[in-house]
Amino acid sequence: NAGVMQNPRHLVRRRGQEARLRCSPVKGHSHVYWYRQLPEEGLKFMVYLQKENIIDESGMPKERFSAEFPKEGPSILRIQQVVRGDSAAYFCASSPQGGVQPQHFGDGTRLSIL
Amino acid sequence: GQQLNQSPQSMFIQEGEDVSMNCTSSSIFNTWLWYKQDPGEGPVLLIALYKAGELTSNGRLTAQFGITRKDSFLNISASIPSDVGIYFCAGPPLSGTGNQFYFGTGTSLTVIP
């Protein structure tokens, strides 16, 4: 299965720690998107990246959150000094091109903050 | 931000029944996508629509891109137990950057065998 791979599937952190979420897009896809989903809600856009570039980060909090998609390796969503409110499912999606191309999703990382 | 409202919010139906759900927006969309999400998993793309009035089928699923470009509909015929899940509409609004996909509030479907 060459779909979007996210790890870890579950991540538990204490308040103040850092969380690193990884996403390997579908092979050949150079566009990556990160979304956040709270229980019983839809997905909310956070950030859109192409290789080595952040294209649109308008949905990502300005503080504590950062994202990267290096030339080699997976895309990383990093949350510093986590707080209880960061508890959510974080999904990564990829597409071969940007714009209106359908995005293909991974199974998410469920982040729990103690 | 953009609001995509889906109705109904939840449905409980008997196996074999047909299902209809819709999604409405306050602004024009140039693409509509329908996804299904099972518990603990990511959304899976069901159908993509690109033109106003377009009607597209995928097996027992049929979706339509509304003429006003502010709505879309999804129908499931002869429902089966594995249709259980949450159905989301999504898309990029015409007025946006084209990068952001907005997701609807979801319709939760329960199929009773």
Side-chain angles (χ1 to χ4, degrees):
Chain A
N1 183 356
V4 176
M5 302 299 293
Q6 290 187 248
N7 69 83
R9 291 295 308 276
H10 300 274
L11 182 61
V12 179
R13 285 286 178 265
R14 295 189 181 279
R15 280 177 294 171
Q17 291 184 322
E18 177 180 291
R20 279 183 176 242
L21 288 61
R22 295 175 189 77
C23 168
S24 296
V26 173
K27 190 175 181 181
H29 287 192
S30 58
H31 299 252
V32 165
Y33 308 78
W34 285 92
Y35 292 81
R36 172 180 153 129
Q37 185 179 36
L38 293 173
E40 304 195 14
E41 291 189 10
L43 281 74
K44 299 283 195 298
F45 169 82
M46 296 180 73
V47 61
Y48 162 43
L49 311 100
Q50 292 183 40
K51 280 288 187 181
E52 300 184 89
N53 290 305
I54 296 175
I55 307 301
D56 184 344
E57 57 183 348
S58 57
M60 195 162 67
K62 296 283 187 289
E63 296 181 359
R64 302 189 299 107
F65 285 73
S66 62
E68 63 179 22
F69 188 17
K71 187 176 180 181
E72 301 290 339
S75 175
I76 306 286
L77 179 67
R78 183 180 175 207
I79 311 173
Q80 295 178 290
Q81 299 174 329
V82 296
V83 300
R84 286 257 169 85
D86 296 333
S87 295
Y90 292 84
F91 289 94
C92 170
S94 73
S95 68
Q97 300 172 17
V100 301
Q101 289 291 313
Q103 299 170 14
H104 300 270
F105 285 82
D107 282 336
T109 292
R110 275 134 192 92
L111 176 64
S112 298
I113 308 302
L114 302 179
Chain B
Q2 293 291 336
Q3 187 85 357
L4 291 182
N5 294 308
Q6 289 186 243
S7 66
Q9 187 175 354
S10 61
M11 303 179 75
F12 292 81
I13 61 168
Q14 290 289 139
E15 182 177 358
E17 289 184 359
D18 296 344
V19 173
S20 290
M21 60 187 79
N22 67 65
C23 177
T24 59
S25 166
S26 56
S27 58
I28 290 172
F29 276 57
N30 55 20
T31 297
W32 283 104
L33 306 170
W34 283 93
Y35 286 88
K36 176 176 182 263
Q37 186 176 27
D38 291 330
E41 298 184 10
V44 174
L45 181 67
L46 299 174
I47 292 180
L49 302 158
Y50 297 103
K51 290 194 314 186
E54 180 181 352
L55 188 71
T56 297
S57 293
N58 177 7
R60 293 178 297 106
L61 278 62
T62 301
Q64 183 161 24
F65 193 141
I67 291 292
T68 66
R69 301 172 73 182
K70 292 185 178 182
D71 55 10
S72 181
F73 309 88
L74 177 69
N75 295 315
I76 305 173
S77 62
S79 58
I80 58 178
S82 62
D83 291 334
V84 166
I86 302 178
Y87 291 79
F88 290 102
C89 59
L94 187 64
S95 58
T97 62
N99 302 319
Q100 290 197 30
F101 274 37
Y102 287 87
F103 276 74
T105 48
T107 292
S108 174
L109 178 64
T110 300
V111 179
I112 302 165

